[in-house]
Amino acid sequence: VKLPMKNLDRIHHVIARFNSSAVFDQESWMYFWGDYYDGFKVKLPEFIYDFEEKLLDISFGLKHALALLDNGKVYSWGDGSYGELG
């Protein structure tokens, strides 16, 4: 996949799991592509979130995702029909 993003040298982390992929940079901007839980597909990387605090890690499940910030907060999104989102 060609990443249509500026400053690729600033990429901090890459995650590729199941049918979804994401990268985030040193400023905690996250780009996403792949399948959303509701069947919507993102074919090319899209900027989707600018976290207020530093983003440390992201993990994908089959239909959900979790993001860990350096202030100890955890964000979750996705299906959640089995309690995956907390």
Side-chain angles (χ1 to χ4, degrees):
V1 171
K2 183 178 179 183
L3 300 177
M5 302 179 301
K6 298 178 181 179
N7 303 322
L8 287 177
D9 59 327
R10 301 179 83 159
I11 296 299
H12 182 269
H13 210 81
V14 178
I15 300 92
R17 300 229 174 45
F18 300 102
N19 296 325
S20 303
S21 299
V23 297
F24 59 89
D25 65 15
Q26 295 170 356
E27 283 79 34
S28 297
W29 288 19
M30 186 171 72
Y31 296 83
F32 174 89
W33 63 101
D35 294 343
Y36 278 120
Y37 70 93
D38 60 0
F40 181 73
K41 296 183 187 304
V42 178
K43 294 182 181 181
L44 293 174
E46 289 184 11
F47 170 76
I48 63 165
Y49 207 79
D50 178 6
F51 291 94
E52 293 176 12
E53 301 293 328
K54 184 174 180 177
L55 180 59
L56 297 179
D57 202 1
I58 299 174
S59 182
F60 290 119
L62 185 58
K63 294 184 177 184
H64 69 286
L66 300 169
L68 174 64
L69 304 181
D70 72 346
N71 63 0
K73 290 183 181 179
V74 175
Y75 287 89
S76 62
W77 63 94
D79 183 3
S81 58
Y82 297 101
E84 305 93 330
L85 304 181

